[in-house]
Amino acid sequence: MQFKTKTGIVVPSVTMEQMIEIDRIAIEETGPNLFQMMENAGRNLAELSIKTLSKSWAKSEILILAGTGGNGGGGICAARHLANKGANVKVCVTEPEKLKNVTAYQLHILKSTNAKIISIKELKNEHPDLIIDAIIGYSLSGEPKGKSLELIKWASQQLGIKISLDIPSGINSTTGEAAIHHIKPDITMTLALPKTGLFPSVTGELYLADIGIPKKVYEKLKLNYQSPFEEKFYVRLFQESNN
Ligand SMILES: NC(=O)C1=CN([C@@H]2O[C@H](COP(=O)(O)OP(=O)(O)OC[C@H]3O[C@@H](n4cnc5c(N)ncnc54)[C@H](O)[C@@H]3O)[C@@H](O)[C@H]2O)[C@H](O)CC1
Ligand SMILES: [K+]
């Protein structure tokens, strides 16, 4: 499968292992660091959320479902940007006491906004217009279980628009294999490069977000990369089968 922009730029896709290596090079050698990449991810996700809700965004109910890792951090960052603009934002975290430090810092910043942090048991009272799936990204390991599974199941029964960050939770980013319980998003915003498992059947509309990684990092992995973003910071991607 090939990933192309509207203007025909072909974007290389990567497996989870390759994405982890790109992350490592950026974090350990070239930059940007994890905080900076996550901020770019969350900012782009906030902008796409507003675009998706169009003129009713300021009155819409937006609910972010966040895991404890980098995916959750990107979702919480988007929540802060939306709350800073006066949007009606609620955040539900799987295990607030187990947040990775960069994700915990995003939650710390969120607490200075009017965003409401709700518990899993309070979800039953919620009927959001937009649900952001920031539960699990490319580090899915095995069938979703525990609190992540509870959030995935709840979201699957909701009527609101669903946007998944990076990878729909429960989908294997390399193979596209779907766990028994997984998020079926209307839209997916994947980060930096598309992952090989992001088939149209799992992503809904696919967007690629620029999180600030220099081209040299991709060249270290021998990827044939030309920036697909032009003057923008996120672009629509179209998936075309090779044959
Ligand atoms: N350069 C980039 O692409 C960047 C990506 N970012 C985001 O970070 C995630 C990867 O973050 P990581 O901390 O490695 O893990 P995840 O957040 O994907 O997942 C951990 C999260 O998921 C839960 N979980 C995993 N498997 C299961 C399971 N079987 N059952 C239940 N729960 C599960 C786990 O408990 C954690 O809560 C990437 O996708 C991007 O979104 C960075 O933000 C910036 C750079
Ligand atoms: K996700």
Side-chain angles (χ1 to χ4, degrees), residues 123-137:
L123 280 177
K124 62 181 178 308
N125 311 322
E126 298 303 322
H127 306 284
D129 301 296
L130 172 67
I131 296 166
I132 291 177
D133 157 33
I135 306 166
I136 310 172

Side-chain angles (χ1 to χ4, degrees), residues 8-55:
I9 300 172
V10 175
V11 187
S13 58
V14 289
T15 63
M16 174 180 118
E17 289 72 19
Q18 287 175 297
M19 197 66 232
I20 290 174
E21 177 58 4
I22 287 165
D23 260 353
R24 187 198 63 74
I25 295 168
I27 291 165
E28 293 177 12
E29 298 171 26
T30 62
N33 68 27
L34 189 50
F35 284 78
Q36 292 166 311
M37 290 193 279
M38 187 176 288
E39 193 67 24
N40 286 327
R43 171 80 178 272
N44 277 310
L45 180 56
E47 199 168 329
L48 178 59
S49 299
I50 290 171
K51 174 182 177 284
T52 302
L53 290 166
S54 66
K55 58 187 181 312

Side-chain angles (χ1 to χ4, degrees), residues 126-151:
E126 298 303 322
H127 306 284
D129 301 296
L130 172 67
I131 296 166
I132 291 177
D133 157 33
I135 306 166
I136 310 172
Y138 61 54
S139 290
L140 169 73
S141 58
E143 279 293 319
K145 54 190 175 302
K147 306 283 189 223
S148 299
L149 178 58
E150 281 185 62
L151 264 51

Side-chain angles (χ1 to χ4, degrees), residues 96-198:
E97 68 292 347
K98 293 185 181 166
L99 296 182
K100 254 181 168 174
N101 70 334
V102 62
T103 306
Y105 189 66
Q106 288 291 353
L107 192 63
H108 165 70
I109 311 170
L110 182 79
K111 288 177 177 169
S112 293
T113 72
N114 290 332
K116 199 161 170 292
I117 298 167
I118 64 169
S119 66
I120 293 179
K121 59 179 181 307
E122 290 174 285
L123 280 177
K124 62 181 178 308
N125 311 322
E126 298 303 322
H127 306 284
D129 301 296
L130 172 67
I131 296 166
I132 291 177
D133 157 33
I135 306 166
I136 310 172
Y138 61 54
S139 290
L140 169 73
S141 58
E143 279 293 319
K145 54 190 175 302
K147 306 283 189 223
S148 299
L149 178 58
E150 281 185 62
L151 264 51
I152 291 170
K153 283 181 169 175
W154 176 82
S156 303
Q157 291 148 8
Q158 297 309 307
L159 297 174
I161 300 168
K162 294 181 197 68
I163 299 180
S164 283
L165 177 60
D166 204 24
I167 316 291
S169 297
I171 296 292
N172 180 305
S173 54
T174 301
T175 64
E177 188 194 350
I180 298 164
H181 297 287
H182 60 279
I183 296 286
K184 300 171 187 62
D186 301 283
I187 297 167
T188 297
M189 170 170 265
T190 198
L191 303 173
L193 290 176
K195 285 55 173 193
T196 48
L198 290 179

Side-chain angles (χ1 to χ4, degrees), residues 5-7 9 44 47 51 207-212 225 227-237:
T5 65
K6 200 158 51 180
T7 54
I9 300 172
N44 277 310
E47 199 168 329
K51 174 182 177 284
Y207 287 84
L208 180 68
D210 181 357
I211 58 175
Y225 177 81
S227 171
F229 299 108
E230 293 168 307
E231 78 287 0
K232 296 181 280 295
F233 284 93
Y234 67 86
V235 289
R236 180 79 194 275
L237 280 191

